[in-house]
Amino acid sequence: MKFCALNSAELFLKLDKMNSSLGDVFLDCFEEADSFVILFNNVDIGERTAFRLPKLCKDDVLAYLYKRWPHSKTHREVDAAQDHEVNLGPYHPLLQGDIRPIVKMKGETIESVRFQTGYRFLGLEERLLNYGIEQGAFLCSHLNPEQNPVANTLWCYALESFAQIDIPNRAKIVRMLFLELARIRSHILFFKKMSELLGLEVFSFRCKEQLQYLKKIYRDYGLSYAHPFLSTPGGLYKNMPDAWPLELKAYLNNFEKFLDGLKRDFLESRFVYDRCLISPFSGQEGLQGSLTGPVLRSAGIRLDNRKRNDFYFYNQLDFEIPLGSRGTVFERLLVRSEELVQSLKILRQIFNFIPVGDHIVPFEINSSGSFYAALEAPEGELGLYITLGNGKLQTVKFRSSAKHHLLFASGQASNNNLSDFLVSYCSLNISASELDG
């Protein structure tokens, strides 16, 4: 006797003989099974109870399905030449944020993808005009909560550069510390999402554990984990506690063990290698698509604003820029994992540069003009264009890597199947909040 196990999720059948729910109905299983087992999803996986329903006739279920859904597989074979659309959003568990991809398919092959955004519109650029310069430093933290306090640091760095104000070295060092912590935080979240997509739940739990340790580091400094207000124009909003470097050093020792597990249990997995050896692109294609960050570097383009723009003390540190060659999804994983290693190396070197002294200087700006500043965010170049008139904001525009990566994802989806598209899309780590800013 053959059994069919059904997992409750989306489709619900109300049968006359019973009052239960059946979900994720797989008609292929229905046609082969002699009886059915229902797994109820309202309890934990270890507590699920299987019910065998011998009185439920297979023919009754199929007849009900055919009546309710006349286009089920047994009534029509899928026409390989027939066009249809698949809606994957905006609240899909495999998507990172409120983005709605609408996939046009021909059989099992993707013809094109269009994205609908705006589901969490922030109006950030317009709100910054009303808040002003000092209040805008805090509001910037809403641009991308997964990469904070990168936007907050960029806001202050841009205004200080335009006003030609040299902030204390202590403030520069602390900002560098948190830029690398933001990179670690963003990449751990990336590996958590990729491991969930690939079905490696055990490694996902390890990533969650590391994020909890990192949250404690933020709070021990006195910052909010979601929207940390680290910098203000002229320096730091809050000085670094004396005991905080020792706590950070202890965290880095624990983080090094996590990196060993990342390489051993995730990157060296044959399954991950075979599944992610897809969606290659050349460095020239990446430059034409205005890609930046680890995605572009996975194709062999050595572009990193930390060294290119002589940002603070990065040129005095010994670290490497990881590069790939073909731009596949697996090489995007490798580049990000090596960036975690380099961030750990940078943080340990910065401990030797922490000076004593002031953490803030007076800031005032009354000039007019336009300027652009950028820094290396975890997912690529994050730029800020500002126009000032007599010290007041007139124009604010962010240059986000997410917008260019989204266009690139749309172009790469053609002639792929749906499962490969999801893996490739998630490897770009596109943030919906940056799109709707």
Side-chain angles (χ1 to χ4, degrees), residues 219-389:
R219 290 180 175 175
D220 288 345
Y221 190 97
L223 301 175
S224 167
Y225 183 67
H227 303 290
F229 186 21
L230 174 69
S231 300
T232 187
L236 300 176
Y237 179 73
K238 181 180 291 186
N239 197 7
M240 181 173 59
D242 295 335
W244 188 77
L246 297 178
E247 298 174 3
L248 178 59
K249 188 174 182 179
Y251 165 73
L252 295 180
N253 293 333
N254 179 277
F255 177 65
E256 188 174 13
K257 299 177 182 178
F258 168 78
L259 293 179
D260 295 336
L262 172 64
K263 180 180 179 181
R264 180 183 65 252
D265 301 331
F266 190 83
L267 297 175
E268 292 182 355
S269 168
R270 185 69 188 184
F271 167 74
V272 173
Y273 176 80
D274 292 339
R275 187 68 187 89
C276 296
L277 208 62
I278 56 175
S279 303
F281 68 96
S282 66
Q284 187 63 29
E285 291 174 337
L287 292 174
Q288 291 175 354
S290 299
L291 302 183
T292 56
V295 177
L296 179 63
R297 291 192 285 272
S298 69
I301 302 299
R302 185 183 178 89
L303 182 62
D304 193 316
N305 283 315
R306 289 176 293 180
K307 289 193 173 183
R308 183 185 181 189
N309 293 345
D310 194 18
F311 186 79
Y312 291 160
F313 301 111
Y314 274 108
N315 280 338
Q316 301 179 26
L317 302 178
D318 178 25
F319 69 98
E320 300 176 359
I321 299 177
L323 298 176
S325 59
R326 298 173 54 203
T328 62
V329 171
F330 187 72
E331 290 188 357
R332 299 171 206 174
L333 298 177
L334 290 177
V335 168
R336 283 189 172 91
S337 66
E338 185 59 29
E339 284 191 358
L340 290 175
V341 175
Q342 297 303 317
S343 291
L344 175 63
K345 188 176 179 180
I346 290 171
L347 287 170
R348 285 178 167 168
Q349 292 179 69
I350 291 178
F351 280 118
N352 301 325
F353 285 88
I354 299 179
V356 297
D358 296 332
H359 65 282
I360 191 171
V361 295
F363 177 84
E364 184 177 359
I365 184 170
N366 295 315
S367 55
S368 301
S370 301
F371 56 96
Y372 176 84
L375 53 76
E376 188 67 23
E379 294 306 322
E381 179 178 315
L382 180 62
L384 176 63
Y385 175 80
I386 293 180
T387 300
L388 290 175

Side-chain angles (χ1 to χ4, degrees), residues 25-303:
V25 181
F26 300 97
L27 292 179
D28 289 338
C29 296
F30 275 171
E31 294 171 354
E32 297 177 359
D34 295 319
S35 61
F36 301 90
V37 175
I38 302 176
L39 302 180
F40 291 91
N41 251 3
N42 58 346
V43 292
D44 294 334
I45 188 170
E47 302 174 356
R48 289 180 181 175
T49 305
F51 297 89
R52 182 181 173 188
L53 305 174
K55 295 182 180 180
L56 187 61
C57 177
K58 176 183 67 175
D59 295 334
D60 292 341
V61 175
L62 292 176
Y64 185 87
L65 288 173
Y66 300 154
K67 181 179 179 180
R68 186 74 176 271
W69 294 284
H71 299 294
S72 56
K73 183 178 179 181
T74 52
H75 275 207
R76 64 159 178 85
E77 292 297 328
V78 177
D79 185 2
Q82 183 174 359
D83 294 340
H84 58 283
E85 288 188 347
V86 177
N87 180 16
L88 295 179
Y91 304 107
H92 194 282
L94 298 180
L95 302 181
Q96 302 165 37
D98 310 331
I99 306 174
R100 183 187 180 193
I102 302 175
V103 184
K104 184 179 180 181
M105 304 189 68
K106 190 171 185 178
E108 295 184 358
T109 304
I110 296 175
E111 285 191 334
S112 62
V113 178
R114 68 180 189 273
F115 294 93
Q116 290 185 359
T117 62
Y119 290 94
R120 50 184 297 178
F121 180 67
L122 302 176
L124 183 62
E125 295 171 344
E126 292 297 326
R127 290 164 63 192
L128 284 168
L129 298 177
N130 299 324
Y131 273 68
I133 290 177
E134 293 186 358
Q135 292 84 354
F138 172 74
L139 189 61
C140 282
S141 63
H142 292 76
L143 179 65
N144 188 347
E146 292 184 0
Q147 298 181 13
N148 279 329
V150 176
N152 166 254
T153 302
L154 173 62
W155 179 267
C156 300
Y157 170 71
L159 292 168
E160 292 157 0
S161 300
F162 180 71
Q164 297 182 352
I165 294 177
D166 188 25
I167 64 174
N169 289 340
R170 185 177 180 86
K172 295 178 182 179
I173 290 296
V174 173
R175 288 182 182 180
M176 290 173 63
L177 284 170
F178 273 95
L179 285 177
E180 294 308 313
L181 288 175
R183 195 177 318 278
I184 290 175
R185 175 185 180 182
S186 177
H187 287 355
I188 291 178
L189 281 167
F190 166 79
F191 281 109
K192 172 181 172 294
K193 295 168 185 175
M194 287 298 295
S195 59
E196 291 173 351
L197 173 63
L198 298 174
L200 305 176
E201 295 291 342
V202 174
F203 191 78
S204 174
F205 293 146
R206 296 183 187 177
C207 294
K208 292 178 183 178
E209 184 181 31
Q210 283 298 314
L211 291 173
Q212 291 298 321
Y213 292 146
L214 198 55
K215 182 184 294 186
K216 184 178 183 301
I217 293 297
Y218 275 70
R219 290 180 175 175
D220 288 345
Y221 190 97
L223 301 175
S224 167
Y225 183 67
H227 303 290
F229 186 21
L230 174 69
S231 300
T232 187
L236 300 176
Y237 179 73
K238 181 180 291 186
N239 197 7
M240 181 173 59
D242 295 335
W244 188 77
L246 297 178
E247 298 174 3
L248 178 59
K249 188 174 182 179
Y251 165 73
L252 295 180
N253 293 333
N254 179 277
F255 177 65
E256 188 174 13
K257 299 177 182 178
F258 168 78
L259 293 179
D260 295 336
L262 172 64
K263 180 180 179 181
R264 180 183 65 252
D265 301 331
F266 190 83
L267 297 175
E268 292 182 355
S269 168
R270 185 69 188 184
F271 167 74
V272 173
Y273 176 80
D274 292 339
R275 187 68 187 89
C276 296
L277 208 62
I278 56 175
S279 303
F281 68 96
S282 66
Q284 187 63 29
E285 291 174 337
L287 292 174
Q288 291 175 354
S290 299
L291 302 183
T292 56
V295 177
L296 179 63
R297 291 192 285 272
S298 69
I301 302 299
R302 185 183 178 89
L303 182 62

